[in-house]
Amino acid sequence: DTGVSQDPRHKITKRGQNVTFRCDPISEHNRLYWYRQTLGQGPEFLTYFQNEAQLEKSRLLSDRFSAERPKGSFSTLEIQRTEQGDSAMYLCASSLGMGGDVLDEQFFGPGTRLTVL
Amino acid sequence: AQKITQTQPGMFVQEKEAVTLDCTYDTSDQSYGLFWYKQPSSGEMIFLIYQGSYDEQNATEGRYSLNFQKARKSANLVISASQLGDSAMYFCAMREGGGGADGLTFGKGTHLIIQP
């Protein structure tokens, strides 16, 4: 399977715990994006990477959220001290990363569904 | 103000009929892209079609076409000859080229149900 993969697909945690999600992009893709989707809403952009550089992180929801892409391949999204309001689907997407091309198509993974009890 | 507005929360359509899903957008950028994604109940976002702001012809991909009216800032999705498998959430999204964040901005979606 050469699509975007995410792990785990489902995560149930207790409030206050830390969680980490992993995303493996399509192999030749330079850009990687994280989105959050709450029930009944469209995805909300959080952050993105061009190779290993995080080029936008002002949209991260709070300082409890952080993301890394250490070698420009897979990425992790960590949420510290989870709250019930963090319950959502977390989507990862990747693209070739054609600089300045607004039509640089993003391919999405299946998502990680987080439930905070 | 909402950057992407989808005014139809839900639609019921008879199988084999054509369906139009509405999308209006708001941007001051000259260069931008408009996208439509399908999200079945399984949750994965499936890319359908896109249109660049400088494209003069409407985009088409199989049964999907994008009715782009730049002056009205609308980018409606038209699905011809609808099928039962078209039942899903449909999201309109925009990517602006003004040097800001490169993420997509999505609307709230339209839940399309195709009836036999």
Side-chain angles (χ1 to χ4, degrees), chain B residues 44-114:
Chain B
E44 189 163 353
M45 299 289 285
I46 301 168
F47 166 76
L48 297 178
I49 194 168
Y50 64 38
Q51 177 91 36
S53 56
Y54 291 116
D55 294 338
E56 294 185 351
Q57 290 202 330
N58 288 340
T60 60
E61 286 286 346
R63 294 187 300 114
Y64 304 107
S65 60
L66 200 154
N67 184 0
F68 180 46
Q69 298 189 42
K70 195 170 182 177
R72 294 185 178 184
K73 292 190 173 179
S74 74
N76 298 339
L77 176 70
V78 179
I79 306 174
S80 63
S82 57
Q83 302 171 356
L84 296 177
D86 293 334
S87 294
M89 285 293 294
Y90 287 80
F91 291 97
C92 179
M94 177 172 63
R95 184 179 185 200
E96 296 170 281
D102 274 3
L104 293 168
T105 301
F106 285 84
K108 292 188 175 182
T110 295
H111 189 191
L112 176 65
I113 297 173
I114 307 298

Side-chain angles (χ1 to χ4, degrees), chain A residues 31 33 35 37 40-43 45 48 56 59 91 101-106 108-109, chain B residues 31-33 35 37 39 44-45 47 50-51 91 95 97 101-104 106-108:
Chain A
R31 285 191 178 166
Y33 305 80
Y35 293 82
Q37 186 177 21
Q41 302 293 318
F45 169 61
Y48 89 101
E56 173 59 56
R59 308 284 184 92
L91 294 164
D101 181 1
V102 292
L103 296 180
D104 183 32
E105 183 185 337
Q106 295 182 23
F108 282 80
Chain B
S31 176
Y32 52 89
F35 301 78
Y37 283 85
Q39 188 176 43
E44 189 163 353
M45 299 289 285
F47 166 76
Y50 64 38
Q51 177 91 36
F91 291 97
R95 184 179 185 200
D102 274 3
L104 293 168
F106 285 84
K108 292 188 175 182

Side-chain angles (χ1 to χ4, degrees), chain A residues 18-35:
Chain A
N18 298 344
V19 294
T20 300
F21 310 139
R22 176 178 170 128
C23 172
D24 286 87
I26 294 171
S27 58
E28 64 268 25
H29 283 186
N30 296 316
R31 285 191 178 166
L32 187 148
Y33 305 80
W34 285 99
Y35 293 82

Side-chain angles (χ1 to χ4, degrees), chain A residues 54-88:
Chain A
Q54 189 172 12
L55 298 186
E56 173 59 56
K57 53 184 176 180
S58 65
R59 308 284 184 92
L60 286 169
L61 301 164
S62 77
D63 58 6
R64 297 184 296 107
F65 287 71
S66 63
E68 292 184 343
R69 195 183 183 196
K71 296 183 179 179
S73 56
F74 73 92
S75 175
T76 57
L77 177 70
E78 181 182 16
I79 309 173
Q80 296 183 328
R81 306 180 303 281
T82 53
E83 302 172 356
Q84 288 185 324
D86 297 332
S87 295

